[in-house]
Amino acid sequence: MIFQEITLRQAVQADLSEMKQLYRETILTVCVNEYDDEQRNMWAASAEKTDRWIDLVNDQLVLLAIKNNVIVGFASLRDGDYLDFMYVHKNYQRQGIAQLLLNAIEDEAKKLNTKIITSDISKTARPFFEKKGYKVIKEQENIRGNVMLVNYKMMKEL
């Protein structure tokens, strides 16, 4: 895996449009085997919650993975111990970007003396996180509108 051409930097408000597009497109295409159309559309629609996204950049550590001036992934750390977002661009899957972002987020958590990091992980991402040492605490059923989305509360000791 070649990381030299990928740089990490902290997100700013000006990045939100590109981040939200990456988020929507990734959900709609990458998660097709685990979630049906209705589930993916409902999930992706949360990109329209403008206040949530503004708060994300203002209140969390949000790291962007940049390749050739394009955001190819992003991850966020909330309150020093919760991995809130982690998405890799649909055209840049399986290139080590998720690993790079996860390492950086875990390193930041360790600097804050965090002992356990938690996250709510999709069915799609669960195998990746299990390979990285995360354990399922419980399966969760989230209702959005009249649509149920299953994900997993996971944790890892750092």
Side-chain angles (χ1 to χ4, degrees):
M1 289 177 239
I2 300 172
F3 295 128
Q4 297 94 308
E5 55 194 37
I6 297 173
T7 57
L8 295 181
R9 71 166 172 81
Q10 194 159 344
V12 296
Q13 293 293 325
D15 297 314
L16 282 175
S17 178
E18 190 175 351
M19 289 170 61
K20 291 186 334 181
Q21 181 178 345
L22 181 156
Y23 173 85
R24 276 190 299 269
E25 290 177 358
T26 298
I27 291 165
L28 294 173
T29 59
V30 175
C31 301
V32 70
N33 293 325
E34 295 80 19
Y35 298 94
D36 66 28
D37 289 347
E38 186 179 34
Q39 291 169 319
R40 286 181 288 112
N41 286 327
M42 180 63 72
W43 181 6
S46 63
E48 304 313 314
K49 295 179 180 177
T50 304
D51 290 347
R52 166 79 162 110
W53 287 83
I54 291 170
D55 291 347
L56 169 67
V57 172
N58 288 342
D59 301 339
Q60 297 188 36
L61 171 66
V62 181
L63 297 178
L64 304 178
I66 309 290
K67 183 175 182 177
N68 300 325
N69 297 314
V70 173
I71 298 173
V72 295
F74 67 93
S76 72
L77 183 65
R78 185 177 80 203
D79 301 328
D81 65 358
Y82 180 75
L83 176 66
D84 193 9
F85 281 75
M86 192 162 102
Y87 290 85
V88 173
H89 192 291
K90 65 183 179 68
N91 296 335
Y92 293 89
Q93 297 284 309
R94 304 200 187 298
Q95 296 182 26
I97 296 165
Q99 181 66 62
L100 185 66
L101 285 165
L102 186 61
N103 288 348
I105 290 291
E106 289 179 355
D107 287 347
E108 289 299 323
K110 287 175 190 172
K111 288 178 189 173
L112 298 169
N113 294 315
T114 298
K115 302 297 182 216
I116 295 175
I117 192 166
T118 62
S119 191
D120 296 302
I121 305 296
S122 70
K123 291 181 194 178
T124 307
R126 178 181 169 176
F128 169 81
F129 280 93
E130 287 178 327
K131 287 178 189 162
K132 305 306 172 192
Y134 285 72
K135 306 283 185 229
V136 172
I137 299 169
K138 67 178 177 176
E139 182 175 302
Q140 304 176 121
E141 294 180 351
N142 301 289
I143 307 297
R144 294 188 185 177
N146 61 349
V147 178
M148 185 182 59
L149 294 168
V150 171
N151 70 4
Y152 305 93
K153 174 67 74 181
M154 297 183 80
M155 60 83 66
K156 180 181 178 181
E157 292 183 30
L158 297 178

